[in-house]
């Protein structure tokens, strides 16, 4: 196997959760699920980045109060996109920990103020400019993951302090292997870092693990197209912001990613 050649992961399982079920029972279940209020956007489980330099993710399970603790999260990226969010109140003050942002952009290009309806160009918005080493508007990246043997889609929101390295490493992995991200199996880990004020925070890392078979890739590629049609309907909440609020104070400009004007999201880690 060559230096950049990846092992084919034939044992990666793409499942629906209906395997082995009686067909009549499946139809009845789907019909009864349709009786409930339809969930807009993408139904997914959250992967939370810890605070204080922790090195284990909290992965949402059936019990919201009892997440699964995972030091590594391995899977296939089904879709990813940049986004911007601005909270007018300081994080952690009042009800801000549970409030949607004052202004947000699902493509990091055009933002909408939810209070006034004003539409803004993110490149020119004063809230998206560096001030005292940081930005009032938080630049983040959402990553939708499929894990082996699990029917659910998982959402990892990469905080501002990790975007630069995650973008660079994913672009390097894809470029050196000439493989789209929907065919790659990658592993996300956490490193502990410290900002210039001595505050520890958790930094997301990513590394290549393997590659899917041709048949598996057909499935994940089709799933990407479906997710891309729905991602703009997924609400931005403080769950996307969490660690960024605690870690970015005092972080130098070099630790943030500046997205160039005219960048093409389909190229996709700019």
């Amino acid at each position: 196997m060559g230096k950049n050649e990846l092992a084919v992961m034939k044992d990666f399982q793409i499942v629906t959760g209906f395997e082995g079920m009686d067909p009549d029972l499946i139809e009845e279940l789907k019909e009864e699920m349709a009786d409930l209020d339809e969930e807009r956007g993408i139904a997914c489980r959250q992967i939370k980045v810890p605070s204080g330099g922790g090195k284990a993710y909290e992965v949402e399970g059936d019990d919201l109060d009892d997440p699964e603790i995972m030091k590594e999260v391995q899977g296939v990226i089904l879709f990813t996109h940049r986004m911007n969010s601005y909270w007018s109140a300081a994080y952690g003050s009042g009800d801000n920990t549970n409030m949607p942002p004052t202004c947000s952009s699902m493509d990091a290009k055009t933002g909408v103020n939810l209070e006034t309806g004003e539409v803004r160009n993110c490149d020119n918005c004063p809230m998206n400019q560096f001030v005292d080493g940081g930005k009032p508007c938080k630049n983040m990246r959402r990553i939708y993951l499929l894990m082996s043997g699990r029917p659910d889609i998982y959402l990892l929101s990469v905080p501002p302090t990790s975007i630069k390295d995650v973008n660079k490493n994913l672009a390097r992995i894809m470029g050196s292997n000439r493989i789209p991200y929907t065919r790659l199996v990658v592993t996300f880990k956490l490193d502990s870092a410290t900002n210039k004020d001595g505050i520890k925070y958790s930094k997301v890392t990513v590394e290549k693990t393997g590659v899917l078979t041709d048949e598996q890739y057909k499935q994940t590629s089709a799933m990407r197209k479906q997710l891309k049609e729905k991602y703009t309907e997924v609400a931005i909440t403080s769950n996307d912001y969490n660690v960024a609020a605690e870690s970015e104070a005092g972080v130098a400009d070099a630790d943030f990613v500046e997205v160039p004007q005219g960048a093409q999201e389909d190229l996709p880690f700019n």
Side-chain angles (χ1 to χ4, degrees):
M1 183 178 294
K3 183 178 180 181
N4 290 325
E5 191 174 351
L6 292 171
V8 178
M9 302 190 67
K10 296 180 181 179
D11 58 347
F12 191 94
Q13 300 177 31
I14 301 176
V15 299
T16 64
F18 297 122
E19 288 82 6
M21 287 182 62
D22 179 83
D24 291 337
L25 181 58
I26 294 176
E27 289 304 313
E28 178 66 22
L29 178 60
K30 289 182 177 179
E31 186 176 326
E32 292 185 10
M33 290 291 289
D35 293 339
L36 305 176
D37 292 336
E38 182 179 358
E39 183 171 349
R40 292 176 58 83
I42 303 168
C44 51
R45 299 194 178 197
Q46 298 282 340
I47 300 174
K48 184 178 178 181
V49 178
S51 60
K55 292 188 176 182
Y57 295 97
E58 293 182 8
V59 181
E60 182 182 334
D62 293 334
D63 185 349
L64 295 179
D65 296 324
D66 187 23
E68 185 177 357
I69 306 302
M70 301 178 68
K71 290 187 176 180
E72 299 181 1
V73 174
Q74 185 181 106
V76 176
I77 299 174
L78 294 179
F79 183 58
T80 180
H81 65 90
R82 291 181 283 114
M83 68 178 190
N84 295 337
S85 303
Y86 167 69
W87 279 264
S88 56
Y91 183 80
S93 63
D95 294 329
N96 188 47
T97 52
N98 295 313
M99 288 178 63
T102 306
C103 183
S104 63
S105 171
M106 293 300 288
D107 60 4
K109 299 174 184 177
T110 303
V112 178
N113 188 308
L114 300 182
E115 296 177 349
T116 65
E118 178 187 2
V119 177
R120 291 187 174 184
N121 183 318
C122 292
D123 288 334
N124 302 326
C125 180
M127 297 301 174
N128 197 34
Q129 310 305 316
F130 284 109
V131 179
D132 297 328
K135 289 183 178 183
C137 185
K138 309 309 171 190
N139 304 148
M140 295 169 279
R141 176 173 287 282
R142 274 181 169 174
I143 295 178
Y144 296 90
L145 278 173
L146 179 68
M147 289 194 251
S148 178
R150 301 189 180 206
D152 299 294
I153 296 170
Y154 292 83
L155 174 59
L156 171 62
S157 295
V158 180
T161 45
S162 297
I163 286 182
K164 184 177 181 180
D165 286 342
V166 169
N167 284 0
K168 180 177 67 177
N169 289 335
L170 283 172
R172 175 181 52 79
I173 293 169
M174 293 169 64
S176 62
N177 293 278
R178 303 294 190 268
I179 299 174
Y181 63 73
T182 44
R183 190 167 188 174
L184 284 168
V185 179
V186 294
T187 300
F188 290 92
K189 298 180 182 180
L190 290 165
D191 281 341
S192 182
T194 305
N195 66 23
K196 68 179 184 181
D197 292 330
I199 300 173
K200 286 188 176 182
Y201 63 96
S202 302
K203 199 163 189 175
V204 177
T205 68
V206 61
E207 59 189 44
K208 59 186 178 182
T209 304
V211 64
L212 298 180
T213 65
D214 291 342
E215 192 59 37
Q216 291 169 329
Y217 171 52
K218 289 179 182 178
Q219 294 177 265
T220 55
S221 179
M223 294 173 77
R224 177 184 182 272
K225 292 179 173 62
Q226 294 174 355
L227 291 181
K228 194 168 184 178
E229 293 176 356
K230 297 181 178 181
Y231 81 98
T232 55
E233 298 178 5
V234 181
I236 297 174
T237 69
S238 56
N239 285 329
D240 291 293
Y241 185 70
N242 50 51
V243 174
E246 302 173 10
S247 65
E248 71 176 35
V251 176
D253 288 4
D255 289 320
F256 289 80
V257 60
E258 184 68 41
V259 179
Q261 292 189 5
Q264 297 297 313
E265 177 63 19
D266 286 339
L267 290 182
F269 301 106
N270 40 54

